[in-house]
Amino acid sequence: MLTKVTGLPRVVGATALLALAMCACSSPGAGGGEPEIGSVPTPGHLDGAQITTPLDAYLPTPEENYTLKKARVLLVNACMRGLGYAQNPQPLARFSGKPYLEHSEFLVVPIAQAEKYGYKPPPAPDREKGSGAESLYAKNVTDVQGDLLSGRVSTFNGKKVPAGGCEGEALRTITEGAATSEEVTLPDGSAAGAGKGGFGEGFAEMVVASARGKAMAEVREDSRFLDASERWSDCMKKQGYDYDSPSSAWNEKKWSDATRAGKQEIAVAVADMGCKKKVNYLGVGIALETAYEKQVIEESAEVLEDAKDKTARWIENANQAIEAR
């Protein structure tokens, strides 16, 4: 599973004036300038989980991702049992409901969350604490089990080991009729390789993350984004915090060095979110990212549609594999 993942980032009197000023400086993207963005939304939240942009249409749902994972685990474990190796089967974590690729590029959290945890994520609920079983599984993988999973041996107990091992066989079953190339060129121009087996679970996320990264690179250079970032910085200075951009506040080293958010981190995070709300930072970010994502979709339609179509076929195959067991 390969995933590339990509962050977003002077106060006027009213949101209406902000939207008007931004529309006035917009210019058509066709001539190589900044794209038009129309009216700027004013979200009533600072929650990445509530954000949607055009590239989300190319991603599988959390339920579909879980179907792919469930099928892979069932197929791998069935293959291992068929070879006569039943110890330490792969575990299947509980369904969390979270997408594999989240909108973290906006660097926002609900203010109520910032008041408790600063820039740190809240503790995961019990239903999402499934990583313990997966960590224990990985720790207990023996050399023999690893050989059978990867296909480093050709036979075991007098039985033929599938090419690429049980993992390879599971991948072929799920991707049957829609296999990928060993290497693909991503929307941002980079290349990604997956070896002879091709890509599987996480392929669409990797392609979309690349496309989103390309769009966000343009957003960060857009004059309207730079203006929003400057107004955010001015707002923070009025509260006694000197940061030139949202990312500089978010990525303060002393926050990452601490296991828990202290009073200072919480104070900065709350001020940060308050200023983002005041200058409609999230609305500006969504409007700009939407415009640039539409451009990337036009430029990379073939690879995006291919990833979406292949994933849809894999989900069909996964459902069939689950029903057969």
Side-chain angles (χ1 to χ4, degrees):
M1 176 170 37
L2 292 178
T3 321
K4 280 173 70 175
V5 188
T6 333
L8 204 215
R10 249 159 120 76
V11 183
V12 292
T15 301
L17 291 177
L18 168 62
L20 180 61
M22 293 183 67
C23 290
C25 69
S26 301
S27 59
E34 296 178 345
E36 294 181 352
I37 58 176
S39 60
V40 177
T42 307
H45 64 84
L46 291 172
D47 186 358
Q50 297 186 49
I51 296 166
T52 58
T53 56
L55 280 168
D56 292 331
Y58 295 89
L59 293 170
T61 65
E63 291 80 6
E64 290 170 337
N65 265 323
Y66 192 71
T67 295
L68 291 172
K69 183 173 185 177
K70 182 177 182 179
R72 176 175 54 78
V73 169
L74 290 175
L75 288 165
V76 166
N77 288 340
C79 172
M80 295 292 285
R81 289 194 301 271
L83 292 173
Y85 193 101
Q87 304 99 290
N88 192 34
Q90 287 191 5
L92 178 65
R94 293 180 182 180
F95 175 62
S96 70
K98 287 187 175 182
Y100 280 16
L101 185 63
E102 299 179 302
H103 277 285
S104 59
E105 70 272 21
F106 291 97
L107 302 181
V108 293
V109 296
I111 291 180
Q113 179 178 320
E115 290 173 341
K116 286 186 175 181
Y117 308 108
Y119 290 109
K120 294 175 174 55
D126 290 339
R127 70 175 185 277
E128 293 178 17
K129 294 178 180 177
S131 59
E134 294 178 345
S135 297
L136 185 62
Y137 160 77
K139 182 179 179 180
N140 291 332
V141 171
T142 64
D143 291 342
V144 172
Q145 187 176 8
D147 290 342
L148 298 179
L149 289 168
S150 63
R152 288 192 294 263
V153 294
S154 58
T155 60
F156 181 74
N157 284 341
K159 297 178 180 179
K160 184 178 180 180
V161 177
C166 288
E167 289 280 10
E169 183 178 72
L171 178 62
R172 286 190 296 275
T173 299
I174 292 172
T175 62
E176 183 179 4
T180 68
S181 302
E182 294 180 19
E183 184 174 293
V184 297
T185 299
L186 299 171
D188 64 2
S190 64
K196 293 181 179 179
F199 295 90
E201 187 182 334
F203 179 58
E205 284 81 1
M206 180 183 69
V207 172
V208 169
S210 168
R212 182 161 292 153
K214 183 177 180 180
M216 287 304 304
E218 296 289 344
V219 169
R220 294 187 188 98
E221 297 298 321
D222 191 287
S223 63
R224 295 157 290 187
F225 171 77
L226 296 173
D227 178 65
S229 185
E230 182 180 348
R231 288 184 286 106
W232 171 89
S233 181
D234 289 345
C235 175
M236 291 291 283
K237 284 177 182 175
K238 290 178 181 177
Q239 299 187 61
Y241 304 113
D242 189 10
Y243 292 104
D244 59 2
S245 69
S247 62
S248 63
W250 186 281
N251 295 315
E252 180 86 61
K253 186 177 183 297
K254 53 189 168 185
W255 311 153
S256 59
D257 287 344
T259 55
R260 291 187 178 184
K263 290 183 179 180
Q264 186 182 18
E265 178 182 341
I266 289 173
V268 173
V270 169
D272 179 357
M273 299 310 138
C275 284
K276 282 172 178 168
K277 193 83 171 174
K278 187 172 184 179
V279 304
N280 195 25
Y281 166 82
L282 185 55
V284 173
I286 291 173
L288 288 171
E289 187 175 15
T290 296
Y292 283 107
E293 281 193 3
K294 287 179 179 178
Q295 288 186 349
V296 174
I297 288 171
E298 288 185 12
E299 296 164 358
S300 304
E302 185 175 351
V303 65
L304 286 165
E305 290 292 345
D306 180 65
K308 184 176 181 179
D309 292 345
K310 280 184 167 57
T311 301
R313 177 62 184 271
W314 299 348
I315 292 164
E316 291 178 10
N317 293 342
N319 277 317
Q320 292 175 7
I322 292 169
E323 291 169 3
R325 280 166 170 73

